[in-house]
């Protein structure tokens, strides 16, 4: 099933945040890349949460900040 | 210093912080701030390749033999290199007493790898067996394997940088030159005006005033003088490491940094309690990488900012409350961009000579600097699991520490196994206090999280 357009936009924005501020990403970085393998750690997760909240004007509740939800850009986009 | 020299790079704000600490240590006869990275190998690597790699590394990176000098007019500190610098990085060979003899190898005998490692950390990096900022030692072990020690000057490398350095050495032994493509040398440039920078430092000043109003102590006390550096390792199996990760996630979610800070603070508290002391607060500075995470990177310079955590003794009664406090502070400091603000402060202080710099810090921190040092470098970023034909079985860091504070607890992980390194200076902690610290650490990392200290 195709993703809604706004979900794609979210993914693009998240990928931009990650690539410019959080991780050294390769050219094959996409919405399904495993963020932990790409270097996401404790410090980087906190930075990412705050950047997402600032950019999307949302507050991510603690119960949404899970390993599964932060495993990829696609998973992250689903909780925003 | 030589008259004929060339400027290579400016010092980062964090470099200058380390420079001040390094000078304080030398004044107190503590040999300066160095770090050591250990690669444990399953066999003896091909020595010809290793030596060729070391030579290539040395030729490509003159910073390895550079020294710090300030411009006498601007006081701007920079790395400089003499025109007649060393063009070779020697590999010193050792063998543990009782290890197999290799008559073809000219190896000096040493009691144990640990003993040699401590001796090097307690010596001077400028010894003729190495460059100014790096020396290499290979020890043939009783087990038949070997251990490579990279001893580095903390003025030029941080822990993560040392991992990239080890990778650069491996690349060089494979004939691959230069640094990884994702090189991003930290610029000293200041995009903000001076006025804007000063405004941005406000959160740091607020935090400082809050910290110095608290009573905290270090194990060495403020008047510590010379004292040899020692260290002990806690190395965990893969099963234990999985269990530690599970506990860290249960207690701190994805923000596991707060779990390790809490464990380190509770472990240190055991030593104070055994002295009949119970400081009301524990202040710890945490280096935070400003290199973007993932992949390989440029090894040089301290590319970190610092976050200061303060835990109250009541919060340390249980691991749960200690983790919760560290986590709350971590979130507050990240939200208020304290790390960025501290980077600006460090940058503004770059031209302050080391002595007044340290005097300033000592006056801010009541002579203690911090309660203890701590860092968690996470997964060891090694480019390959092989070095010149030998498999890397384990990799970890042994940082030296200044006194004050006299002690530090450091974590790293390789191949699914965590290593905790406890470094301390003689007269800062006794053997029994070290055992208390490590026992409490092991308990907190592996056993019942709600267990109460004491």
């Amino acid at each position: 099933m195709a993703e809604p357009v706004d979900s794609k936009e979210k993914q693009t924005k998240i990928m931009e945040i990650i690539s410019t501020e959080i991780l050294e990403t390769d050219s094959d970085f996409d919405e399904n890349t495993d963020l932990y393998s790409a270097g996401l750690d404790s410090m980087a997760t906190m930075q990412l949460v705050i950047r997402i909240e600032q950019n999307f004007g949302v507050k991510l509740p603690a119960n949404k900040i899970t390993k599964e939800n932060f495993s990829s850009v696609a998973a992250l986009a689903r909780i925003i | 210093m030589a008259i004929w020299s060339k400027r290579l790079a400016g010092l980062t704000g964090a470099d200058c912080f380390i420079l001040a600490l390094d000078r304080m240590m030398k004044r107190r006869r503590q040999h300066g701030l160095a770090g050591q990275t250990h690669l444990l190998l399953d066999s003896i690597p091909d020595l010809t390749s290793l030596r060729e790699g070391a030579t290539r590394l040395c030729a490509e990176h003159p910073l390895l033999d550079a020294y710090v000098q300030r411009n006498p007019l601007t006081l701007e500190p920079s790395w400089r290199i003499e025109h007649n610098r060393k063009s070779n990085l020697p590999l010193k060979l050792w063998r543990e007493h009782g290890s197999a003899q290799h008559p073809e190898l000219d190896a000096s005998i040493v009691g144990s790898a640990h003993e040699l490692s401590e001796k090097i950390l307690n010596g001077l990096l400028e010894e003729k067996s190495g460059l100014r900022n790096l020396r290499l030692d290979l020890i043939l072990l009783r087990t038949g394997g070997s251990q490579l020690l990279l001893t580095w000057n903390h003025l030029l490398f941080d822990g993560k940088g040392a991992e990239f350095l080890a990778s650069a050495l491996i690349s060089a032994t494979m004939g691959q030159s230069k640094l990884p493509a994702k090189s991003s040398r930290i610029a000293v440039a200041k995009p903000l005006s001076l006025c804007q920078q000063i405004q941005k430092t406000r959160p740091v000043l607020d935090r400082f005033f809050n910290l110095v109003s608290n009573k905290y102590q270090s194990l060495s006390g403020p008047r510590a003088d010379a004292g040899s550096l020692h260290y002990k390792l806690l190395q965990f199996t893969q099963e234990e490491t999985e269990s530690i990760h599970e506990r860290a996630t249960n207690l701190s979610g994805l923000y596991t940094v707060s779990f390790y800070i809490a464990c380190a603070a509770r472990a240190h508290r055991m030593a104070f309690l055994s002295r009949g002391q119970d400081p009301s607060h524990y202040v710890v500075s945490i280096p935070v990488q400003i290199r973007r995470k993932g992949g390989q990177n440029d090894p040089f310079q301290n590319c970190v900012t610092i976050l200061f955590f303060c835990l109250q003794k009541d919060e340390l009664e249980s691991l749960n409350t200690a983790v919760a406090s560290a986590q709350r502070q971590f979130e507050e400091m990240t939200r208020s961009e304290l790390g960025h603000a501290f980077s600006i402060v460090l940058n503004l202080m770059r031209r302050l000579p080391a002595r007044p710099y340290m005097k300033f810090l000592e006056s801010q921190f009541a002579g203690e600097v911090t309660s203890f040092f701590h860092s968690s470098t996470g997964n060891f970023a090694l480019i390959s699991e092989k070095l010149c034909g030998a498999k890397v079985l384990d990799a970890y860091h042994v940082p030296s520490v200044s006194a004050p504070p006299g002690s530090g607890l450091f974590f790293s992980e390789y191949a699914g196994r965590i290593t905790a390194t406890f470094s301390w200076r003689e007269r800062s902690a006794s053997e029994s206090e070290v055992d208390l610290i490590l026992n409490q650490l092991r308990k907190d990392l592996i056993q019942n999280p709600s267990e109460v200290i004491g």
Side-chain angles (χ1 to χ4, degrees):
Chain A
M1 196 171 72
E3 296 268 2
V5 173
D6 65 337
S7 179
K8 279 285 171 208
E9 283 173 3
K10 280 184 212 166
Q11 290 180 2
T12 307
K13 185 68 191 167
I14 297 168
M15 283 172 66
E16 186 187 325
I17 294 168
I18 290 174
S19 297
T20 55
E21 298 181 51
I22 313 287
L23 301 177
E24 292 275 8
T25 52
D26 290 323
S27 54
D28 57 357
F29 177 62
D30 64 23
E31 69 274 17
N32 296 314
T33 300
D34 182 335
L35 294 181
Y36 297 109
S37 301
L40 191 71
D41 63 8
S42 177
M43 293 276 183
T45 302
M46 179 68 87
Q47 288 171 337
L48 181 56
V49 167
I50 287 165
R51 287 287 171 264
I52 285 174
E53 291 184 351
Q54 288 169 342
N55 276 274
F56 290 94
V58 295
K59 170 85 180 146
L60 292 178
N63 64 354
K64 295 282 185 194
I65 302 171
T66 63
K67 195 159 187 180
E68 294 71 37
N69 287 339
F70 277 71
S71 61
S72 69
V73 169
L76 254 174
R78 282 194 286 273
I79 62 164
I80 297 171
Chain B
M1 293 298 167
I3 296 171
W4 301 106
S5 65
K6 179 183 168 192
R7 184 184 183 280
L8 293 175
L11 270 69
T12 65
D15 288 343
C16 293
F17 177 82
I18 298 287
L19 179 64
L21 209 53
D22 182 83
R23 294 295 185 267
M24 178 196 80
M25 290 173 74
K26 284 175 178 159
R27 220 173 48 244
R28 295 178 183 222
R29 292 173 288 128
Q30 295 174 8
H31 294 304
L33 202 54
Q36 213 168 55
T37 297
H38 294 201
L39 301 185
L40 191 64
L41 307 168
D42 71 341
S43 56
I44 301 170
D46 179 73
L47 295 180
T48 306
S49 301
L50 189 52
R51 286 196 170 105
E52 283 174 3
T55 301
R56 181 174 287 120
L57 192 74
C58 175
E60 285 177 358
H61 303 298
L63 271 171
L64 292 174
D65 200 33
Y67 60 91
V68 173
Q69 193 172 43
R70 285 185 191 273
N71 180 309
L73 296 177
T74 65
L75 296 181
E76 183 78 28
S78 61
W79 285 105
R80 301 191 72 89
I81 188 78
E82 291 165 8
H83 280 261
N84 60 345
R85 73 178 181 98
K86 288 178 187 166
S87 56
N88 187 31
L89 172 56
L91 173 71
K92 181 89 178 144
L93 273 185
W94 308 85
R95 72 176 184 88
E96 277 186 329
H97 183 72
S99 63
Q101 290 195 29
H102 298 268
E104 74 280 16
L105 304 178
D106 183 21
S108 311
I109 291 187
V110 63
S112 71
H114 189 107
E115 179 191 309
L116 175 69
S117 156
E118 285 192 345
K119 272 186 183 165
I120 294 170
L121 281 168
N122 284 304
L124 289 170
L125 279 172
E126 290 87 345
E127 272 180 54
K128 56 188 174 186
S129 51
L131 302 176
R132 281 191 173 92
N133 301 311
L134 178 65
R135 63 174 282 165
L136 285 183
D137 297 88
L138 184 75
I139 311 152
L140 316 183
L141 304 176
R142 277 185 282 268
T143 58
S146 63
Q147 194 163 346
L148 183 68
L149 310 184
L150 294 94
T151 307
W152 37 272
N153 186 348
H154 209 329
L155 282 175
L156 188 60
F157 301 98
D158 56 32
K160 214 66 203 170
E163 295 173 15
F164 299 135
L165 174 72
S167 287
L169 175 63
I170 292 178
S171 294
T173 62
M174 296 191 289
Q176 296 163 6
S177 61
K178 307 294 177 193
L179 292 169
K182 289 174 182 171
S183 169
S184 59
R185 179 70 52 82
I186 301 301
V188 175
K190 300 175 282 291
L192 301 174
S193 70
L194 184 62
C195 190
Q196 286 170 318
Q197 289 181 64
I198 290 170
Q199 282 173 350
K200 285 259 183 191
T201 61
R202 184 59 195 264
V204 173
L205 297 177
D206 289 346
R207 181 87 183 153
F208 269 174
F209 288 131
N210 188 20
L211 284 179
V212 295
S213 65
N214 299 319
K215 286 253 181 223
Y216 67 93
Q217 293 170 234
S218 66
L219 286 178
S220 73
R223 290 187 183 79
D225 212 325
S228 301
L229 184 93
H230 299 284
Y231 72 89
K232 274 191 179 176
L233 302 174
L234 274 187
Q235 293 177 292
F236 296 94
T237 63
Q238 284 186 340
E239 293 73 26
E240 288 172 329
T241 298
E242 279 171 22
S243 145
I244 294 169
H245 283 315
E246 197 181 323
R247 280 168 61 78
T249 306
N250 287 341
L251 286 172
S252 57
L254 298 186
Y255 309 133
T256 50
V257 62
S258 46
F259 172 75
Y260 293 108
I261 292 168
C263 290
R266 275 169 54 86
H268 273 86
R269 189 171 179 225
M270 292 308 291
F272 284 108
L273 290 177
S274 75
R275 293 179 183 183
Q277 300 169 348
D278 196 8
S280 61
H281 293 81
Y282 290 77
V283 169
V284 56
S285 59
I286 307 292
V288 179
Q289 280 288 311
I290 54 178
R291 293 178 176 100
R292 275 183 286 156
K293 305 285 168 64
Q296 292 293 311
N297 217 314
D298 187 332
F300 300 108
Q301 305 203 272
N302 287 273
C303 304
V304 295
T305 185
I306 298 171
L307 294 179
F308 284 92
F309 288 78
C310 180
L311 299 173
Q312 296 172 32
K313 69 173 181 180
D314 296 344
E315 294 168 339
L316 296 183
E317 288 293 334
S318 85
L319 186 56
N320 305 46
T321 50
V323 171
S325 172
Q327 186 148 332
R328 179 181 45 74
Q329 294 178 50
F330 181 31
E331 185 167 353
E332 283 170 6
M333 286 189 280
T334 312
R335 280 193 190 282
S336 59
E337 300 193 330
L338 206 74
H340 179 57
F342 199 80
S343 275
I344 294 172
V345 172
L346 290 175
N347 210 31
L348 287 170
M349 291 175 68
R350 286 177 57 251
R351 296 188 193 195
L352 192 59
R355 194 163 184 142
Y357 197 128
M358 209 56 223
K359 285 280 172 206
F360 170 75
L361 291 181
E362 283 170 353
S363 70
Q364 292 297 310
F365 293 109
E368 297 279 13
V369 182
T370 181
S371 297
F372 56 90
F373 288 126
H374 168 71
S375 73
S376 180
T377 43
N379 272 321
F380 198 103
L382 206 55
I383 205 166
S384 163
E385 60 176 27
K386 286 221 160 193
L387 171 68
C388 301
K391 186 176 181 197
V392 182
L393 300 174
D394 205 354
Y396 53 86
H397 303 293
V398 179
S400 72
V401 291
S402 62
S407 66
L409 248 174
F410 310 94
F411 295 90
S412 62
E413 184 172 340
Y414 182 78
R417 290 192 307 275
I418 288 177
T419 296
T421 307
F422 181 67
S423 305
W424 79 97
R425 289 210 166 261
E426 221 165 87
R427 294 193 290 278
S428 296
S430 66
E431 282 288 331
S432 63
E433 287 170 345
V434 172
D435 290 342
L436 282 171
I437 288 170
L438 293 179
N439 285 339
Q440 182 62 41
L441 182 67
R442 179 175 271 281
K443 267 192 211 172
D444 274 347
L445 289 174
I446 291 182
Q447 290 173 9
N448 182 8
S450 57
E451 189 168 330
V452 172
I453 264 185

